Amino acid sequence: MGLGGLVLTIIGGAIIFIGGLFDLVAALGVNKFPDFYTRLHAVTIGAIGGAVYPIIGSAILVFGVPGLSLSARLSFALPMLVIASLILITAPTGSHAVARAAYRSGLKPYRRIPGEVKK
Amino acid sequence: MMRAGYIAVWLAGILIYFLIVARITLFDLVVAPIISMVAALIVGGEVVKKPGKALSPKRWLYGLAYTLYYLLVVEPACHLRVASMVLGLRDYMPDIVEVPFDYRTDYAVAATANSITNTPGTIVVDIDPEAKKYFVHWLEAYTRDPRIVREKIIMVFDKWIKKIFED
């Protein structure tokens, strides 16, 4: 593995690792946040930080894997980038749909009272 | 004019097809234009109203630059901010606020709504197209002043979105 391959492997691996951390934070947030709307923010961390970034990271990582032809690398990386783009476009559509349904059905957001002790 | 709209969707369909299969064989060269043509005939008239905009390389370059800026700067900053709220390192004040906008096209309205929702900390819960307002659930709703709220929530996307979809 050349230096370029090593750098790409480290960058790709680091992005995937960070994505895993974001998934963990998203799971904690879904448990910790107090209502439906605030939990949606935690879910967004899982959808973007925990899915889009690791997919982009795996597309970068494949260019660092030794012994693959360029066409093999591209046949892995290009669909990954398309999938990441499609998640970026479609994920908020789902969030909008459920958030709008909750808002229009009259679900009130949780409001902090000034001076309230944090949960 | 309408025909160019179908062509724009047809070309986009072919591009996406080849990006997904990531190979060029005789089979793909035959199938890609046919499948994309079916998709273009179904949605081409509705999706693209001004084909000159859809086929403008300048707008696509702005779109690419915006995507890079969004993924490398805006998203990581928002992720870290909300992650620190989850971990109890930062306080939060959730509420639904009204955010005025001044876009003329549906594309700009939808793209900004998507950008807002994709960043943790802000989610569009409803929209009033007549009053030109988003209703945004915001984790840092310390103010309701429309000018400040607009500055904090959508101005980071505004100039890019206008260059891509409006100017």
Side-chain angles (χ1 to χ4, degrees), chain A residues 26-94:
Chain A
L28 287 173
V30 169
N31 275 291
K32 194 178 172 191
F33 277 150
D35 76 334
F36 170 79
Y37 296 109
T38 44
R39 284 181 185 140
L40 266 183
H41 296 280
V43 172
T44 307
I45 295 182
I48 307 301
V52 172
Y53 281 97
I55 289 171
I56 294 172
S58 58
I60 295 171
L61 184 70
V62 79
F63 281 97
V65 176
L68 290 178
S69 66
L70 180 64
S71 66
R73 293 176 205 276
L74 288 176
S75 68
F76 185 86
L78 290 178
M80 289 286 130
L81 294 179
V82 175
I83 291 166
S85 312
L86 289 178
I87 294 176
L88 268 180
I89 296 168
T90 54
T93 312

Side-chain angles (χ1 to χ4, degrees), chain B residues 10 16 21 25 28 30 32 41-42 50 79 99 133 139 156:
Chain B
W10 183 59
I16 291 170
V21 300
T25 63
D28 298 314
V30 173
L41 287 173
I42 295 170
K50 292 182 178 169
H79 272 73
V99 186
K133 270 188 229 165
L139 281 184
V156 66

